[in-house]
Amino acid sequence: DVFWSVDEPSAASAQGNLCLSDPYWYWDEAAVCCLRDIFSNHCAAVVNDFSSQQVVPRMAMAGQAAVSPSIVLDPFAKKNFVEPGKDATGRAFIHFDMQEFERRVNEFYTAQLAAGQDPLQPGYAPFCKHLFVPNFVPGLPDGALRITDENRGLLRSAYIARTDKELPVLTRWFAKAEVAGQVPEAKILDVILYSREQIRKENEAMAEDSNSDAPWGIVSVKPQSIDSEIPMEPITMMRNCLGTEHGGSGVALDKEAYALSVEFWAEHAQVK
């Protein structure tokens, strides 16, 4: 047998007439190939037509899958984007359409998977991943600058909370306008992802909802010049040790990772 039925066949099939387009018939691909060699030209044309009917729905399904992205911008990360027609305020520094940004990230992600590569790199916890994407945002500067004797006096500091539900922590940075010309354009975007499970966990603690079922949510975007992780700032590591009710993720502090973070950020500061 080269075909079988799992439900009631069509009237034509029930009367003994083979109906290749009958949706209740399921064909074995090897058998179809064999039939192509054996049948006459007329029958081969029918089989080829049937095979096309098999392929079209699969292609259509692939198109439908593309509609639902694997990665979406989390509301937390959307605050990094400057609204069209408005000046940059607060944490906003990316002048780029959010939907197009999301599309480009998913395009890169799916292309890497199609090439047989896993583009997601491990983060500081199992629910955190890094996706290093070639920078496609024109004019976006590197997010960190080395501290020198010449620019040390330009460092700013303040107690800052990223949201009104987080605890403020001491932060230092260079104002972008004051170090203009010293910061190169970023070559890489470190797109930081959290799993949907973790995002829901933190949303619940903050009485929020990200309104998405995508497997991964973008929680931060770091423009940089290398395609590997720049250490998280020490103060951010400490804040992550706090419970989700304070804006942390409840992950224990890794002393070795913390020491590497201190080593890097003792000589660098964010540019924003």
Side-chain angles (χ1 to χ4, degrees):
D1 291 339
V2 296
F3 57 84
W4 61 94
S5 173
V6 296
D7 210 326
E8 291 298 324
S10 65
S13 297
Q15 294 173 6
N17 298 316
L18 179 60
C19 183
L20 294 179
S21 60
D22 189 334
Y24 297 102
W25 292 101
Y26 294 79
W27 287 67
D28 179 83
E29 291 185 9
V32 170
C33 292
C34 181
L35 287 174
R36 285 198 183 105
D37 295 335
I38 298 174
F39 279 18
S40 65
N41 290 338
H42 174 72
C43 291
V46 173
V47 173
N48 284 332
D49 179 65
F50 170 69
S51 297
S52 297
Q53 294 179 33
Q54 291 278 64
V55 171
V56 170
R58 290 176 184 173
M59 294 178 64
M61 288 174 64
Q64 292 174 359
V67 174
S68 301
S70 299
I71 302 170
V72 297
L73 270 168
D74 188 75
F76 187 81
K78 289 182 178 180
K79 296 177 182 179
N80 292 153
F81 288 77
V82 180
E83 294 187 37
K86 295 185 178 181
D87 295 330
T89 58
R91 292 166 42 218
F93 67 95
I94 302 175
H95 294 264
F96 203 82
D97 180 78
M98 287 189 281
Q99 289 186 339
E100 178 63 9
F101 186 94
E102 192 176 279
R103 187 191 71 77
R104 296 263 195 119
V105 169
N106 277 281
E107 183 178 65
F108 176 81
Y109 174 69
T110 54
Q112 294 295 299
L113 290 179
Q117 301 177 16
D118 182 1
L120 300 185
Q121 302 300 314
Y124 74 99
F127 57 75
C128 177
K129 302 293 181 183
H130 293 264
L131 179 63
F132 297 102
V133 182
N135 180 29
F136 52 79
V137 180
L140 184 64
D142 196 314
L145 180 64
R146 180 178 290 276
I147 301 170
T148 65
D149 291 338
E150 289 73 24
N151 62 27
R152 193 181 305 276
L154 299 176
L155 280 170
R156 298 187 178 192
S157 62
Y159 284 92
I160 294 177
R162 297 172 298 182
T163 72
D164 58 1
K165 296 180 180 179
E166 281 189 345
L167 292 178
V169 296
L170 184 62
T171 306
R172 71 175 183 175
W173 73 95
F174 286 112
K176 187 184 302 183
E178 296 180 352
V179 292
Q182 300 182 41
V183 187
E185 184 168 320
K187 298 177 182 178
I188 300 292
L189 299 177
D190 179 5
V191 180
I192 302 175
L193 311 173
Y194 272 15
S195 69
R196 180 57 46 196
E197 181 182 2
Q198 179 65 19
I199 290 175
R200 285 178 176 148
K201 177 181 177 181
E202 296 188 16
N203 284 166
E204 183 179 357
M206 293 291 185
E208 297 173 343
D209 189 349
S210 58
N211 297 312
S212 175
D213 292 323
W216 298 101
I218 300 173
V219 296
S220 184
V221 178
K222 293 183 177 180
Q224 55 190 55
S225 298
I226 59 175
D227 59 354
S228 58
E229 182 184 2
I230 290 177
M232 186 186 301
E233 289 183 285
I235 195 63
T236 304
M237 288 186 170
M238 286 189 167
R239 177 163 45 194
N240 278 340
C241 293
L242 301 175
T244 53
E245 68 275 13
H246 299 303
S249 52
V251 175
L253 185 69
D254 183 325
K255 293 183 66 175
E256 183 176 344
Y258 185 84
L260 290 174
S261 174
V262 170
E263 181 179 352
F264 179 86
W265 288 106
E267 298 181 357
H268 297 79
Q270 284 193 33
V271 179
K272 59 183 181 178

